[in-house]
Amino acid sequence: MEPKEGERVRLRLRTAKADADQVYYIEGEKEAVMKKTASDPYFDYYEHEIAAASDQVLYHFKVKKNKEICQYNRLGPVDEADPEFDFKITPGFYTPDWAKGAVMYQIFTDRFCNGDPDNDVESMEYVYIGKPVYRVKDWGRNPSTMDVGCFYGGDLKGVGDKLDYIQSLGVEAIYLNPVFVSPSNHKYDCQDYEHIDPHFGRIVKDGGKLVDKNGTDNRQAERYVTRAAARENLEASDALFAELVEEIHRRGMKVILDGVFNHCGSFNKWLDAEEIYERSGDYEPGAYLTKDSPYHSFFQFHDDSDEAWPRNRTYDGWWGHDTLPKLNYEGSEKLVKYILNVAKKWISPPYSVDGWRLDVAADLGHTAEYNHTFWQMFRKAVKEVNPEVLILAEHYGDPASWLQGDQWDSIMNYDAFMEPVTWFLTGMEKHSDGYNGALYGDGEAFFGAMNYHMSRMQTNTIFTAMNQLSNHDHSRFLTRTNQIVGRLGNMGPERASEHVKKPVLREAVVIQMTWPGAPTLYYGDEAGVCGWTDPDSRRTYPWGKEDLELIEFHRYMTGIHKRIPALRKGALKPLFAGRHQIAYGRMSGDHQTITVISNRPEPAVMEIPVWQLGITDDMILGRPILTFENGYNAGIVFYRVENGMLKVIMPPYGGAVFVSRPEAFYPVIESRFVGGEEVL
């Protein structure tokens, strides 16, 4: 619901047929009787119309039957309505339509594909965190525990070379981990926000010394100075990126960049703690080297006396890390303007990127008050350039105060997707750091967690939330299925692949492709990649050694997700919760879907009350997918509904999707019924 100020909004509440004497719309101290406007065999429908004003509207419903009174808000039916969980209408809060339910694909560039070996970081090219960097020549080698200075050579040309593959997965948006100039393989310690890293782009000017194999500083890093700071390389790399985005857009896909604006890196040209830019001779002096630097206000120095320079190491580091200097927004209007211009630059021609993913967004600034102020400025600046740009934040915890229409569009959905799915199907914490047997298989806890955390978001932010099973900061979901607590350092890489359960991953993908939000694949998950948490989750894509059956399964599931409108913007209705079993429906107009999961080691009969979705006995349901222990069935099978119930026999470790009006999505094929099932 995204009304503009002054528009009329019709609200509808559904009750069981003949089960309410009176229904009320409640807004603060005001209440209005709702009018019954329609009925069907199962339900009565009540409506009320309001005008969207300039302010946000908070409301809930009240239902009376005899002497019983029930309140209804974002949590569902409750005895007492807490305004914190009221429904919200925020006039003018628009989130991009293209992102609602969009299939996304996250790429950690260094580990995806090496398209241009000439731009690879060379061993001993420079020193990073006290050691010379290392070029890994064996693409299949697993990451080491201290991995940030090891480079495999993946680059933007590699991404471009694999666009046919990415597109074949049904991907609609590509999210790239940071691609700006940076000394690490992850690039969350930005060196230059204004340019693409030539090690990901093009190196047209090269040469100079490498550092000594035992080097501890960058005084001799001549080749790195040339590669990372020469204007020719930066301009060529920016041009390559523009070409890549243009080709991605030509294919009908979008691009989301990673914006790391809370902190930069000690290599950053504004600070220049490694004296890279001083040696290039083509930049203004960094704040580490002189108090008179034009960037002095960009950082907070704990010792600001004249005697602290040159080489003032007392700058504030994020979480105390001197390699991650925290940016001092409150102390520098110039910095604020600079970062807002960076945000606008990359969404403007010739790059025209479609979204920003914001790293540790809640940490930016020194106070919570300023944090909100900055993101309000950020949204205004970005949306003025292009209202269709998506603003998506990394966030753990309650995001409600940032999702009021004036800051972020949505979030990386840990609390209302990744964690509940992981606990329910595996019992594992998302880093593989713990196991919780009480949450493992608890269907009620699954829906309870989902319901609570989704209640902290508005509907348009739920539809655009990034729903992932894995990413660069957590263990691979397939590894979590082995239910082994551990990390790379104490387990070794091989154990991440031991006793993994591929059918459980398939069940998770069925949930991912049918739950509200934007299903986002982490590169390699679809190919069977395993890995403990960071850095092991950043293994290379296994070109030539992929699990082709698993890839085809992902293609089929993204096809189901994209084909059925209810899976993009449909309402959600839990239908069944048991031990290791759940079922839920999605509804949009005349279309309904049902997702059924039975994560048990034995077959199970399940009876699903599909009448709650408005599905009647004269309707035929189609089942386009059934997963089981040894694979999946992608053929269409038809089911009859009897007495408002869908009765299914679920196989061990099974997942299934059912759709109403299957003829709208699948060609009519002659078939026959066997009992309650129609088999092709």
Side-chain angles (χ1 to χ4, degrees):
M1 183 189 302
E2 296 175 314
K4 298 177 182 177
E5 183 179 349
E7 286 188 331
R8 304 294 296 179
V9 179
R10 182 179 294 118
L11 305 173
R12 173 181 273 195
L13 181 71
R14 189 185 73 174
T15 69
K17 190 172 182 67
D19 199 39
D21 297 331
Q22 203 83 59
V23 177
Y24 300 86
Y25 165 83
I26 310 294
E27 181 185 328
E29 299 298 318
K30 299 184 298 183
E31 65 177 49
V33 176
M34 298 180 70
K35 182 180 179 182
K36 184 161 73 172
T37 57
S39 295
D40 62 30
Y42 295 126
F43 303 105
D44 293 327
Y45 299 88
Y46 294 82
E47 292 185 358
H48 180 68
E49 191 171 283
I50 65 171
S54 57
D55 296 330
Q56 186 180 71
V57 178
L58 304 178
Y59 66 95
H60 64 274
F61 303 101
K62 182 171 71 174
V63 181
K64 284 186 177 182
K65 183 182 181 182
N66 299 325
K67 295 182 179 180
E68 292 183 72
I69 296 178
C70 173
Q71 312 278 348
Y72 191 88
N73 60 14
R74 288 299 298 266
L75 294 177
V78 293
D79 292 330
E80 297 293 333
D82 183 342
E84 277 290 302
F85 299 100
D86 271 356
F87 295 101
K88 295 177 182 177
I89 296 175
T90 308
F93 183 13
Y94 169 78
T95 59
D97 258 2
W98 67 261
K100 295 184 176 83
V103 178
M104 300 184 183
Y105 192 75
Q106 178 186 352
I107 296 177
F108 190 88
T109 305
D110 181 61
R111 308 295 162 82
F112 184 63
C113 179
N114 189 344
D116 179 9
D118 291 339
N119 64 16
D120 290 1
V121 172
E122 296 188 33
S123 292
M124 298 180 293
E125 187 175 319
Y126 56 98
V127 170
Y128 182 70
I129 312 184
K131 293 172 58 178
V133 295
Y134 178 73
R135 177 185 179 185
V136 181
K137 296 183 179 180
D138 177 6
W139 183 257
R141 195 188 88 169
N142 290 321
S144 58
T145 50
M146 186 56 182
D147 178 67
V148 290
C150 298
F151 296 84
Y152 286 71
D155 50 33
L156 293 177
K157 186 176 185 304
V159 174
D161 290 347
K162 298 300 182 180
L163 288 179
D164 284 347
Y165 168 72
I166 295 170
Q167 195 169 16
S168 79
L169 293 172
V171 170
E172 297 166 288
I174 297 172
Y175 156 44
L176 296 169
N177 285 109
V179 294
F180 304 131
V181 185
S182 160
S184 65
N185 56 39
H186 55 68
K187 303 202 178 301
Y188 283 97
D189 49 354
C190 189
Q191 186 171 325
D192 186 345
Y193 290 99
E194 295 181 274
H195 297 288
I196 301 298
D197 195 314
H199 295 94
F200 280 178
R202 289 185 179 130
I203 294 176
V204 296
K205 181 180 180 181
D206 208 354
K209 292 181 182 178
L210 301 174
V211 301
D212 184 79
K213 64 180 181 180
N214 297 314
T216 58
D217 60 52
N218 284 301
R219 286 178 291 182
Q220 303 300 319
E222 295 176 2
R223 191 166 306 180
Y224 184 70
V225 171
T226 299
R227 287 180 154 202
R231 299 291 183 186
E232 298 93 325
N233 293 333
L234 300 174
E235 291 169 1
S237 298
D238 294 349
L240 174 67
F241 180 68
E243 293 165 12
L244 175 64
V245 176
E246 182 179 21
E247 175 60 20
I248 292 171
H249 284 165
R250 188 188 70 77
R251 292 168 176 260
M253 295 185 285
K254 307 287 187 181
V255 180
I256 299 170
L257 284 184
D258 214 320
V260 189
F261 301 133
N262 167 67
H263 56 271
C264 60
S266 56
F267 279 65
N268 191 280
K269 65 182 181 182
W270 301 332
L271 188 68
D272 203 16
E274 297 292 328
E275 304 178 38
I276 299 295
Y277 293 95
E278 183 187 48
R279 283 196 289 281
S280 79
D282 198 23
Y283 293 82
E284 295 178 289
Y288 173 77
L289 298 173
T290 173
K291 190 174 183 178
D292 296 328
S293 167
Y295 310 116
H296 175 265
S297 65
F298 287 23
F299 306 95
Q300 186 178 69
F301 290 93
H302 298 294
D303 182 353
D304 205 37
S305 65
D306 292 344
E307 293 75 22
W309 278 271
R311 300 182 176 85
N312 187 344
R313 283 206 170 273
T314 70
Y315 55 84
D316 188 25
W318 183 56
W319 286 68
H321 297 293
D322 64 358
T323 57
L324 301 174
K326 187 169 175 62
L327 293 171
N328 183 36
Y329 289 94
E330 286 96 329
S332 179
E333 289 187 18
K334 181 179 177 181
L335 170 64
V336 173
K337 292 178 182 177
Y338 209 126
I339 292 295
L340 294 182
N341 284 334
V342 166
K344 292 188 287 187
K345 170 182 176 173
W346 295 103
I347 63 173
S348 302
Y351 313 106
S352 300
V353 162
D354 306 284
W356 281 108
R357 178 268 186 188
L358 307 172
D359 185 62
V360 293
D363 287 6
L364 183 141
H366 298 298
T367 66
E369 181 181 18
Y370 181 80
N371 182 277
H372 290 295
T373 298
F374 178 84
W375 293 124
Q376 288 165 351
M377 292 188 289
F378 185 92
R379 182 182 186 85
K380 185 173 186 293
V382 165
K383 297 292 186 175
E384 283 178 352
V385 174
N386 182 1
E388 293 296 319
V389 167
L390 179 67
I391 302 174
L392 190 77
E394 177 191 26
H395 185 68
Y396 300 84
D398 188 347
S401 60
W402 288 274
L403 299 178
Q404 299 299 313
D406 59 347
Q407 296 170 68
W408 310 336
D409 285 324
S410 195
I411 56 170
M412 298 182 77
N413 204 4
Y414 295 119
D415 291 346
F417 186 77
M418 182 190 284
E419 293 204 73
V421 172
T422 298
W423 288 122
F424 174 68
L425 289 177
T426 72
M428 296 296 292
E429 186 270 339
K430 61 184 177 295
H431 290 281
S432 292
D433 280 345
Y435 172 81
N436 188 321
L439 291 178
Y440 177 43
D442 188 334
E444 292 284 357
F446 170 83
F447 284 125
M450 286 290 204
N451 191 35
Y452 174 81
H453 292 296
M454 290 172 71
S455 76
R456 308 307 296 149
M457 305 165 68
Q458 298 186 52
T459 301
N460 57 352
T461 69
I462 292 172
F463 288 155
T464 50
M466 186 179 278
N467 287 352
Q468 294 187 293
L469 299 172
S470 318
N471 63 25
H472 61 292
D473 284 329
H474 307 93
S475 59
R476 294 271 183 172
F477 186 88
L478 189 53
T479 288
R480 277 175 246 152
T481 67
N482 67 15
Q483 299 176 301
I484 297 174
V485 174
R487 290 199 174 206
L488 178 63
N490 66 340
M491 288 293 185
E494 292 78 16
R495 292 209 66 190
S497 305
E498 287 183 3
H499 309 301
V500 297
K501 302 177 182 69
K502 208 159 50 169
V504 178
L505 172 60
R506 284 192 287 266
E507 291 174 287
V509 174
V510 169
I511 296 173
Q512 183 182 38
M513 294 297 164
T514 58
W515 196 262
T520 304
L521 307 178
Y522 180 45
Y523 81 101
D525 268 9
E526 78 280 9
V529 174
C530 294
W532 302 110
T533 197
D534 164 28
D536 200 38
S537 58
R538 302 171 182 184
R539 297 184 185 187
T540 52
Y541 187 98
W543 299 110
K545 300 179 181 179
E546 309 95 322
D547 184 326
L548 298 178
E549 183 183 64
L550 195 56
I551 289 173
E552 197 58 37
F553 170 71
H554 278 80
R555 286 182 177 134
Y556 193 74
M557 287 306 306
T558 60
I560 290 174
H561 173 83
K562 293 167 67 177
R563 189 179 293 122
I564 300 172
L567 296 179
R568 281 193 184 270
K569 298 183 184 179
L572 174 73
K573 181 72 173 74
L575 298 172
F576 180 87
R579 195 68 193 161
H580 296 291
Q581 294 181 324
I582 55 172
Y584 55 88
R586 301 285 304 277
M587 301 174 284
S588 179
D590 293 333
H591 297 286
Q592 301 97 347
T593 70
I594 304 100
T595 300
V596 182
I597 302 292
S598 183
N599 191 33
R600 293 181 174 185
E602 69 284 330
V605 177
M606 296 179 65
E607 295 192 27
I608 314 301
V610 296
W611 65 268
Q612 295 182 21
L613 303 176
I615 294 175
T616 56
D617 288 359
D618 61 340
M619 295 176 67
I620 300 297
L621 300 179
R623 191 203 69 198
I625 187 72
L626 173 70
T627 74
F628 42 86
E629 193 163 10
N630 298 317
Y632 65 97
N633 186 318
I636 186 77
V637 176
F638 296 96
Y639 283 66
R640 292 189 189 277
V641 175
E642 296 182 0
N643 300 318
M645 304 294 287
L646 171 65
K647 184 177 181 179
V648 296
I649 302 174
M650 292 297 293
Y653 303 109
V657 178
F658 301 85
V659 297
S660 67
R661 294 175 174 79
E663 69 279 0
F665 311 107
Y666 299 95
V668 176
I669 305 171
E670 285 195 13
S671 52
R672 61 190 178 87
F673 279 97
V674 179
E677 300 182 9
E678 187 178 12
V679 183
L680 296 181

